[in-house]
Amino acid sequence: MSVEHASKRIIEGYARGGAGLCADEVWAVEAHLELCRVCRDRLSAAVRAGVPAAASLVDTVWSGLEPRLAVTATMPRRRRRPAPLSRWMTPAMVPWLAMVVVVTLLALLLDLSGTGSGKVSWVLLFAPVLPVLGVAASWSRGLDPAYELTASVPRAGLHLVLRRTASVLAVVVPVLLVGGWATGVMVAQWLLPCLAFTSTTLALGGVVGVTRAAVVLAAVWAAVVVAPTLATSRTAFALQTGGLPAWGLLLAIGTGVVIARRGAYTVLGAHR
């Protein structure tokens, strides 16, 4: 399989500290350098030719480390493949996802037992904000002990944001699917609001931080939809089939904003 190497312009720009390169190009070349020895050798030659001071500093440091490394015992290399789940979610997400599942099951039990008004489906009422809680937990500074390390790696941009979001939806959507089927709620009635709220959380997260966006949207949903619905025992228009086009439009807008502002997720502020 042929490998497409980084261009001379990108290699030389990266050797000068990223001068003249946009954020996407810096991210791409760093990800490529992890796997391509040819480009690493080209980068080394470019640093020696274009930035002799940096090359001299590296040689000085290496000359001091090499004698020590020669007499230091090294640990045997173990070939162990990383767990697939570790690439998609963090340990901090597990209790939050478990809580989301428990809340969904409780809502299902309330629906099946007929608790409250029969005109209001608890599964339908909580479905839009359930994945938002998991997404917020996946990007919480306070919950993730490896936050600074994760947020500073070259691949911590939109790619990692979407991976963690997908892991949340992979847990929440099947549970909601079972709950919706058991209570007779149409799939579109809970799935579109669920996806729309998730995309809107990510879109606002690029501005105010994912966690803050999730908290704000959950609070708005509770005040505008949940409280009036429980007070009047009538399903709000937002949860009826007539509101589905609006949810589809919100999903499209949120997705468009996320794509247009994909560079915003490479900065620490998007993880607040």
Side-chain angles (χ1 to χ4, degrees), residues 140-160:
S140 173
R141 181 193 295 266
L143 293 177
D144 189 357
Y147 157 75
E148 283 81 5
L149 179 62
T150 302
S152 61
V153 298
R155 298 186 181 183
L158 181 61
H159 179 71
L160 190 55

Side-chain angles (χ1 to χ4, degrees), residues 99-115 120-127 130 175-176 179-180 182-183 185:
M99 181 196 70
V100 168
V101 173
V102 170
V103 171
T104 306
L105 294 178
L106 288 176
L108 175 60
L109 289 177
L110 290 174
D111 277 350
L112 296 180
S113 64
T115 303
V120 180
S121 170
W122 290 87
V123 173
L124 186 59
L125 199 58
F126 290 115
L130 288 178
V175 178
L176 288 175
T183 56
V185 177

